[in-house]
Amino acid sequence: MRNIPVNLAGYRLTVSENPEMKMRKVDGRDETVTDREGNAKFVVALMVKAKGEKGEEIRVTLDADPGEGFSEDEMTRVELIDPRVTPYSFKNDRGETVSGVAWGAAGMKPLF
């Protein structure tokens, strides 16, 4: 299963690393990650916290440029637009199984 919708109501999402274009290494050089139509993907780190609980940082891949107004320095609170998760599992170079979930969203907007 891929792109499973999630409900983050009740969680506070705060920018912990500024949004930037998503990059990957290909043959030792950086390359921009794009979708099938060639549109650049972006990534942002968010601190996710429920009231009274310890928070956790997640990295979210955004389908579009979130624009200006998101700053880790100002600890911008945000809402994700159409958030989703995709579970993954693979064996790394050492034969270890690595599992987790990849976070994604159509975009994000600041909360004032």
Side-chain angles (χ1 to χ4, degrees), residues 26-39:
V26 176
D27 298 327
R29 60 181 174 77
D30 287 336
E31 180 180 278
T32 303
V33 175
T34 60
D35 63 14
R36 291 184 174 131
E37 288 81 40
N39 301 315

Side-chain angles (χ1 to χ4, degrees), residues 11-106:
Y11 291 89
R12 187 172 58 225
L13 307 170
T14 307
V15 174
S16 58
E17 286 182 26
N18 294 336
E20 58 188 25
M21 206 172 291
K22 188 169 184 173
M23 307 295 281
R24 68 174 159 224
K25 290 254 188 230
V26 176
D27 298 327
R29 60 181 174 77
D30 287 336
E31 180 180 278
T32 303
V33 175
T34 60
D35 63 14
R36 291 184 174 131
E37 288 81 40
N39 301 315
K41 297 276 192 163
F42 289 77
V43 66
V44 64
L46 301 175
M47 180 59 70
V48 180
K49 186 176 182 321
K51 187 173 180 106
E53 295 184 19
K54 185 177 175 182
E56 182 175 333
E57 187 175 75
I58 62 171
R59 296 187 69 76
V60 180
T61 299
L62 303 172
D63 295 339
D65 184 351
E68 300 296 319
F70 301 100
S71 170
E72 68 182 277
D73 296 332
E74 297 189 20
M75 297 174 56
T76 307
R77 298 244 341 255
V78 298
E79 178 182 335
L80 292 176
I81 301 166
D82 296 328
R84 60 194 182 264
V85 295
T86 298
Y88 64 85
S89 181
F90 64 91
K91 288 202 185 279
N92 65 15
D93 296 339
R94 294 178 280 179
E96 302 165 325
T97 299
V98 179
S99 302
V101 293
W103 289 86

